[in-house]
Amino acid sequence: MNFVRTGWARVRALAPLAAFGLAVCAEPAALRSGAHARLAIQPVFASAVADAAASVDHIHIVLTRPPSTKPLADEIIAIPAGADSVAISLEITLQASSEDLLATVDLLSSGVVLYHGSSPITVHADNRKTQAPTVAVAYVGPGATARSITVAPANATIPANGTQAFTATVTDASGASIPGVPLRWSLSDNTLGTIAEASGAFTGAGKRGTVTVTATTLGGVAGSTTLTLSPVATKLTLVSGDAQSAPAGSPLPQPIVVEADGVDGPVSGVTVNFSTTGGGSITPAQAVTDANGRATARATLGTKTGAQGFSASATGLSTVTANATATAVATTIAKVSGDAQSDSVGRTLQPFVVKVTDAFGNAAPGATVNWSIVGGAQGTLSGTSSTTDASGQASVTYTLSKVPRTDAVSATLNGTTSSVLFTAVAFQRGPANLQVVSGDAQSGVAGSVLPARFEVKATDVLGNPVSGVTVAFAAATGGGSVSPTTATTGTTGTAATTMTLGGLVGPQRFTASAGSLTASVTATATAGMVSHLLYVSGNGQADTACATLKVPLVVQATDAFGNGVSGVTVTWQQVGGPGSANSSPASLTTDSLGYSAVSYRLSSAAGVDTLVAALQVTTAMPITFYETATTSARSSCASPQRAPSTAPALGQRAPGAPSVPSGSSWQPVTGFLPGRGRP
């Protein structure tokens, strides 16, 4: 008798979702006769049930020798949780080296037989390697009589990230419901979600699509339904319309476009609410995303300049905002300050300031303002254009005309006809200088009217002529006169008078004054025509014969004002007394002070000599000198030297002298000083 020890080997799935097999093989064992044997059994499910073995916890194997039903081996083996193999040990007695036996296999779950099957197998007493025979097993557990399954709900639609509980109704061939049938739930696409295999609870993965949900009995009867997963938006994205700018109160050039997206792309049908911040409006206030997941609205800016926002929101999603800037379009210009100023001519005024705004009164920065002088004013602008600052203001400085007048300056908003006019009054400032225009350094005869008038000009600190200034004129030295004594400056700032020289020969000064301001000119008075011959000294002397008189005989030729006239001829002649018959006249020219001076020597005879000094003009009376010789000489006087024909200037010697009669003579005196006698 041969004995064989059998053993169960690996429990494994042979084909996913198709078949399940258990391998049973005998461990090598020594027969009582010393032979070795190995037994292998491969259970195969008759129906395709996915992972059916997951619920199997025990295996029951029975070996019999047909036709006997008496078990050769009968063993129930537990399958540890999570294990994929099991080992058993059985001992049987073979009647031959090879013997056909009947293997019966039951698969149990919690003591309930779920699968049953039997099949003849051949057992060899040697160590021969043969393919393991298969034993087909069929489902015999609850619901083994099931013929159909209805899954509910049918054709449902849920959000892609939602959940859904499914139930199944199992019926037999008669349509009767079979309760308590164990089921296995599965999905046609596991990327779209998960389903609890035992309960049928579905959880979406957030991806859109359609999935088939199937419930299958362990006997292989299946029923299914279709589940549609609608996309769910997880975020809202601003596609376009951000960072735009436009004039305040006007529509933005580009629409505001947002997109609702899920984990796998755009989502349609999402309600988007549009709103504004900072003024303005947006249309429509609510929109539904299209097939591309997009919603569009048109925005109009508010009337205030600066930053404005347009928001889009959807339930459960973060709000997005399109930012925009409202700018000002310059349309209006207005005066701020600087109008109607007044100051003295040539002064620089406080700035003229304007403000430029748009149609809503918003400040318009960056606008160009053009400045121009109106009416030919002689003032000056610091610039012909300026640009408005952040507050919409622009300015320019203006320097007044140099003459009294009303000036006007226009400020025009570039590109428009909008303008404003500033006026300013330039009034005359007081005089700061009095300048000589003409009349200085003239010369003329004493007492005469100078040919050029004494003219002065009153100017301010800028050199501008000042009109209406009263100027007083006067003769300061020399005894002259002016006419008129006062005059008022005209538009050119000038005033004038006529100067008449005084009678004194030499420099004469004339002045002009206006308040503390003064100016002066100097003129030179020269002697006029000789009109008088004046006695100076030497008359009435007495001495011995042939003696030279101690005091020179001096006369002076003068003009009408008593000024000595130089260069005129004075004739000296003895007209009476001893020796007069032999006397010759001496012609002498007056010196620079108009003097003619001689020293006289008495004749040899006693008596009174009569001497005459006369000008060669008919209007001047001659001067007579009487000189007395108290004694007579025994003989004639020594011959005298020749006298010069002309009188020298004081301190100079004459080049020659005329002949004089023997016994008397006159000698030109040099270096004569009036009042001092002979040198």
Side-chain angles (χ1 to χ4, degrees):
M1 185 70 65
N2 294 322
F3 292 92
V4 178
R5 176 176 292 175
T6 63
W8 295 91
R10 186 172 304 277
V11 180
R12 63 186 182 277
L14 299 181
L17 303 179
F20 170 78
L22 293 173
V24 181
C25 59
E27 296 290 341
L31 300 177
R32 292 180 181 175
S33 60
H36 296 277
R38 181 183 295 275
L39 173 63
I41 300 174
Q42 179 67 52
V44 177
F45 290 89
S47 58
V49 180
D51 203 15
S55 59
V56 174
D57 53 22
H58 285 78
I59 299 176
H60 183 202
I61 185 168
V62 177
L63 295 177
T64 61
R65 182 181 293 116
S68 174
T69 59
K70 182 180 179 179
L72 297 176
D74 188 345
E75 190 77 26
I76 298 176
I77 305 96
I79 302 175
D84 62 358
S85 64
V86 64
I88 61 173
S89 181
L90 300 173
E91 286 190 1
I92 60 172
T93 300
L94 295 180
Q95 296 176 346
S97 59
S98 295
E99 189 173 355
D100 292 326
L101 302 178
L102 179 65
T104 300
V105 177
D106 291 319
L107 303 180
L108 297 80
S109 176
S110 301
V112 177
V113 177
L114 298 181
Y115 297 93
H116 172 78
S118 61
S119 178
I121 62 174
T122 301
V123 179
H124 301 279
D126 54 16
N127 199 21
R128 184 185 310 171
K129 292 183 178 181
T130 59
Q131 183 176 0
T134 61
V135 179
V137 294
Y139 183 73
V140 294
T145 60
R147 292 295 180 269
S148 64
I149 298 177
T150 302
V151 178
N155 301 321
T157 298
I158 64 170
N161 60 353
T163 61
Q164 178 66 55
F166 288 95
T167 61
T169 301
V170 182
T171 57
D172 59 16
S174 64
S177 177
I178 304 174
V181 178
L183 300 171
R184 291 291 178 264
W185 294 89
S186 62
L187 301 173
S188 61
D189 187 349
N190 290 323
T191 64
L192 298 179
T194 61
I195 191 166
E197 293 183 0
S199 66
F202 175 83
T203 301
K207 297 173 62 178
R208 75 190 70 206
T210 301
V211 63
T212 300
V213 180
T214 300
T216 306
T217 69
L218 298 183
V221 178
S224 62
T225 187
T226 299
L227 176 63
T228 300
L229 301 173
S230 61
V232 176
T234 58
K235 65 178 179 179
L236 199 61
T237 303
L238 180 63
V239 176
S240 63
D242 190 26
Q244 297 187 73
S245 64
S250 66
L252 289 177
Q254 300 298 324
I256 309 298
V257 180
V258 296
E259 181 175 300
D261 291 297
V263 295
D264 58 350
V267 178
S268 63
V270 177
T271 299
V272 178
N273 297 307
F274 291 99
S275 61
T276 66
T277 57
S281 61
I282 190 166
T283 303
Q286 190 177 83
V288 177
T289 57
D290 59 16
N292 295 317
R294 296 187 174 185
T296 302
R298 285 281 183 176
T300 298
L301 292 169
T303 57
K304 296 296 184 182
T305 56
Q308 299 185 21
F310 299 91
S311 299
S313 62
T315 302
L317 303 180
S318 298
T319 299
V320 295
T321 300
N323 296 305
T325 301
T327 59
V329 175
T331 58
T332 306
I333 188 171
K335 289 184 285 188
V336 175
S337 63
D339 191 23
Q341 297 184 69
S342 61
D343 206 337
S344 54
V345 294
R347 293 282 190 182
T348 299
L349 302 176
Q350 292 297 313
F352 296 159
V353 182
V354 295
K355 183 173 183 178
V356 177
T357 58
D358 64 7
F360 303 104
N362 298 305
T368 299
V369 177
N370 297 320
W371 302 89
S372 61
I373 299 173
V374 178
Q378 298 175 3
T380 56
L381 287 165
S382 61
T384 57
S385 67
S386 56
T387 303
T388 56
D389 59 18
S391 65
Q393 293 188 0
S395 64
V396 73
T397 55
Y398 181 69
T399 301
L400 288 166
S401 301
K402 294 184 177 180
V403 296
R405 57 170 292 153
T406 297
D407 290 350
V409 173
S410 174
T412 303
L413 178 58
N414 189 49
T416 73
T417 59
S418 182
S419 64
V420 292
L421 191 67
F422 291 85
T423 60
V425 175
F427 56 80
Q428 183 67 64
R429 69 174 79 234
N433 297 289
L434 197 62
Q435 303 167 341
V436 174
V437 176
S438 64
D440 193 23
Q442 299 185 78
S443 64
V445 175
S448 67
V449 176
L450 291 173
R453 295 199 308 165
F454 180 13
E455 183 176 9
V456 293
K457 182 176 183 179
T459 58
D460 60 19
V461 293
L462 300 177
N464 301 314
V466 181
S467 62
V469 178
T470 299
V471 179
F473 294 99
T477 61
S481 63
V482 294
S483 181
T485 57
T486 61
T488 302
T489 59
T491 57
T492 61
T494 60
T497 190
T498 298
M499 297 179 290
T500 299
L501 291 169
L504 296 178
V505 172
Q508 297 188 19
R509 190 165 64 90
F510 297 86
T511 62
S513 63
S516 61
L517 305 176
T518 60
S520 65
V521 296
T522 300
T524 300
T526 59
M529 295 294 294
V530 63
S531 60
H532 297 86
L533 187 62
L534 303 179
Y535 167 78
V536 177
S537 66
N539 187 33
Q541 297 183 73
D543 206 336
T544 59
C546 294
T548 299
L549 296 177
K550 295 180 176 59
V551 177
L553 309 184
V554 180
V555 294
Q556 184 182 29
T558 67
D559 61 11
F561 299 99
N563 300 304
V565 181
S566 65
V568 297
T569 300
V570 177
T571 301
W572 294 87
Q573 185 175 4
Q574 183 177 0
V575 296
S580 60
N582 297 320
S583 175
S584 298
S587 296
L588 304 176
T589 302
T590 57
D591 63 13
S592 61
L593 297 179
Y595 292 109
S596 179
V598 296
S599 62
Y600 182 71
R601 187 177 68 172
L602 294 170
S603 64
S604 61
V608 176
D609 288 342
T610 302
L611 309 174
V612 175
L615 289 172
Q616 291 182 341
V617 292
T618 59
T619 58
M621 295 296 293
I623 303 299
T624 301
F625 292 83
Y626 298 95
E627 311 298 343
T628 303
T630 58
T631 61
S632 297
R634 294 179 181 179
S635 61
S636 63
C637 300
S639 298
Q641 297 177 350
R642 293 180 61 88
S645 61
T646 58
L650 290 177
Q652 295 182 351
R653 184 171 298 277
S659 298
V660 296
S662 177
S664 67
S665 67
W666 35 61
Q667 181 72 26
V669 175
T670 61
F672 173 76
L673 295 176
R676 296 182 60 183
R678 295 181 64 181

